Amino acid sequence: MYKEYRLQFEADTRFIKFNNLPILIFQINGKIAVIDNDDPVGVVQELYEVCDLYFVTNKLKNTASYNQKKVRSLFPHFPVNVIAIYIRVFGFELLRYLNLKELVRQIYIQWRRPYYKGVVFTKITDKFVFFSSNIWKKEPHANAIRAEFIRFCIKDPRISFEGGFVSRSDKNNLGFEDVVNKVVYSPKTFSRLSSKSLIALNNPAVCDAVSWRLADYLNQGLFVVSFPFKIELPKDFVDQQNIYFINSTEEYGKVLNTILIDTEFHEKISRNGKDYFDTYCTPRAQAKYIIEQLLKNN
C-alpha cells in the first residue's frame, strides 16, 4: 500500500486496543477496511460492525463467521522485512502507543525476515529438497502430513534432502524424534534453501489456514504439491495446471516419480504457479485488489 498510495497515520481511540496485533485498520474516501492476518478463528465482530469491508488471510469455508456479507478473502502472501516503511508510516507514534519492549520485539522480528523480491523464474533441475517446520501441539493431522513428507524424502535415494522438524522448546516432540533436525534455520536461510527445492509441500497450517510458505514457494517458481485448501481464495488454483493437489501422504511417491520422468510437466506447473503469484499475489497487486474491492463496494 505504501508503494501504491500515500499513507497517513492517525490514531483512532476506537481501535487503540488493536495496536500491535495482526490487524490493519484503514480508511479511504470515508470507507473503513479491516485486514485480518490472524489465524482463522473468526472475524472480530466489533470491527466487522464498523467497517465497510473485512478482508481475511484465511477465510475458512463453511464457517458462519466468515460467511458474513462484508467478508472478503485475500490471495496468499508471506512475511517480509518492512522496517523502513513501518517506521516511516508510524514514526514517533510507535513510542507513544507501544511500550519499548514491544517495539524492540517488532523491529527484531522484522530484521530477521528477508526483504521482498520479485524472483525471476528459473527452471530447477537439481534433485534437492528442503523442508523444515515446527511441531504443533494441537495440530496432529498437519504434524503427520509433514512428518511423512520428511520421512519420504530422507528414504528416497534419488533425493538430496535437508531439513526436518525443529525440536520444541519444551522438548516434547510428540513422538517425532526420528525426523527432528538439530539445525534451526533463520527466515532468510529458510527462504534461500527453499528456493532450490525440486518440490515444495504446502501442508495445512494452524487451524486449517494456508501456510505463509505457499506464497513464498510460488514467488520462487517452485513445483508445489498441496493438500486441498480449506479456505476460500479470490481466484482458485487449477489442479495440475499451477499446483498439484493430493489427498494422501501415500501419493508423495507418485508425484516424485512423475516430475522426475516428465520434466516438462514439472516446469509447466512451476511456471504457471509463478504466473499466479505475479498476477495476484505481489504486494502491489494485493494492494490494488483491496482498494478496488473497497471502492466499488456499495
Side-chain angles (χ1 to χ4, degrees), residues 173-193:
N173 291 323
L174 307 179
F176 293 110
E177 280 78 8
D178 63 312
V179 287
V180 168
N181 183 25
K182 295 181 179 179
V183 179
V184 178
Y185 301 94
S186 71
K188 294 175 183 177
T189 301
F190 183 101
S191 184
R192 177 177 57 81
L193 290 174

Side-chain angles (χ1 to χ4, degrees), residues 46-58:
E46 176 185 349
L47 293 177
Y48 180 87
E49 298 300 332
V50 299
C51 75
D52 291 274
L53 285 183
Y54 194 106
F55 296 90
V56 292
T57 293
N58 290 290

Side-chain angles (χ1 to χ4, degrees), residues 44-85:
V44 179
Q45 201 61 33
E46 176 185 349
L47 293 177
Y48 180 87
E49 298 300 332
V50 299
C51 75
D52 291 274
L53 285 183
Y54 194 106
F55 296 90
V56 292
T57 293
N58 290 290
K59 187 176 184 287
L60 281 179
K61 300 175 181 177
N62 304 317
T63 301
S65 180
Y66 290 122
N67 286 333
Q68 298 179 82
K69 183 179 179 181
K70 294 187 288 186
V71 179
R72 299 289 186 275
S73 58
L74 290 173
F75 290 98
H77 48 274
F78 60 98
V80 294
N81 186 330
V82 291
I83 287 179
I85 297 175

Side-chain angles (χ1 to χ4, degrees), residues 2 6-7 9-10 18 81 95 153 159 178 280 282 287 298:
Y2 182 87
R6 186 175 66 87
L7 304 184
F9 173 70
E10 182 177 330
F18 300 103
N81 186 330
L95 295 172
C153 292
I159 294 175
D178 63 312
Y280 304 112
T282 67
N298 294 319

Side-chain angles (χ1 to χ4, degrees), residues 8-159:
Q8 180 178 341
F9 173 70
E10 182 177 330
D12 188 318
T13 56
R14 293 175 296 173
F15 306 131
I16 287 177
K17 70 175 75 173
F18 300 103
N19 282 351
N20 218 34
L21 295 178
I23 293 175
L24 175 66
I25 306 161
F26 72 95
Q27 179 175 283
I28 180 171
N29 291 358
K31 293 187 174 184
I32 295 177
V34 173
I35 299 176
D36 187 339
N37 199 46
D38 205 350
D39 292 334
V41 292
V43 305
V44 179
Q45 201 61 33
E46 176 185 349
L47 293 177
Y48 180 87
E49 298 300 332
V50 299
C51 75
D52 291 274
L53 285 183
Y54 194 106
F55 296 90
V56 292
T57 293
N58 290 290
K59 187 176 184 287
L60 281 179
K61 300 175 181 177
N62 304 317
T63 301
S65 180
Y66 290 122
N67 286 333
Q68 298 179 82
K69 183 179 179 181
K70 294 187 288 186
V71 179
R72 299 289 186 275
S73 58
L74 290 173
F75 290 98
H77 48 274
F78 60 98
V80 294
N81 186 330
V82 291
I83 287 179
I85 297 175
Y86 180 70
I87 293 175
R88 209 169 292 149
V89 170
F90 297 109
F92 289 110
E93 303 294 338
L94 288 168
L95 295 172
R96 181 179 178 186
Y97 292 105
L98 298 180
N99 65 49
L100 185 59
K101 183 178 179 180
E102 288 177 332
L103 180 56
V104 170
R105 179 175 177 273
Q106 284 299 316
I107 291 175
Y108 175 72
I109 290 172
Q110 292 281 341
W111 173 76
R112 295 184 73 240
R113 294 173 179 170
Y115 289 100
Y116 172 74
K117 179 182 179 182
V119 179
V120 176
F121 179 81
T122 303
K123 183 177 179 179
I124 295 176
T125 57
D126 290 341
K127 297 178 180 64
F128 169 78
V129 176
F130 171 76
F131 185 84
S132 178
S133 191
N134 294 319
I135 302 171
W136 298 324
K137 202 164 189 177
K138 297 182 180 180
E139 303 291 340
H141 179 59
N143 287 340
I145 285 172
R146 293 174 296 149
E148 285 305 308
F149 183 73
I150 295 168
R151 291 185 183 114
F152 170 78
C153 292
I154 291 172
K155 291 178 181 178
D156 196 302
R158 296 170 296 177
I159 294 175

